[in-house]
Amino acid sequence: MLRSKAKSRTRKAGAAVAAAASAGAMVFAATPATAAVTAYPTSSFAIVVGASYYKGTVTWYNRSVGVDGAFKASGCRRIYAEARAGSAWLGWQSSSTWCDESGPAHLTVSADADGGANKVYVWMTTGNPAEGLEYFTCFRTLSACSGPSVGTPPDN
C-alpha cells in the first residue's frame, strides 16, 4: 500500500511538472508571433508641376532616409532629396533625368549622424538641375511635410 501511494504522488507531481512545462512552452512559443515590429516614422509629399509629378513618402531611418514615390516626367524632369540635422547638411541623392516617362523612383540619402536626419527637402527640377520647379520640406518630429514651395530649397 505504501508503494502505491508513493507511485500515485510521483505520477501527480510528474503530471503537474508536465502541465507547467507545457504552459510555459505555449507562452514562449507565442512570444515571437506577438512581438511588435518597429515602425519607422513617415511623412508624405506630392510635388505636382503641370503633368509632371513625384508623389510619395519619406521614411525616417536611424542613419538614412528613404524617399519612395511615383514619378512622372512630362518633358524632362529630375528629382532630388537632401537630408539635414538642424542646419547641418548630411547628404543628398538625385534621380537621373527622366524625359516623358513614369515609374517608381527610390532615393536613399545618408544621414550618418547621432539621431539621423530631422529635416529632408524633396524637389523637382527641369532637365537642368539649376531650374528648380517645386519642393517640399519634411520634418521627422512632425511626421509631416510642408509645401509645395516654388523653386529649390534654401541653400541649394
Side-chain angles (χ1 to χ4, degrees), residues 42-45 56-58 60 82 84 117-122 135-147:
T42 61
S43 307
S44 297
F45 63 88
T57 304
V58 173
W60 305 91
E82 177 183 293
R84 293 184 175 240
N118 61 9
K119 180 169 49 176
V120 168
Y121 294 116
V122 180
Y135 72 93
F136 272 79
T137 307
C138 302
F139 303 93
R140 182 183 196 129
T141 55
L142 301 175
S143 287
C145 296
S146 68

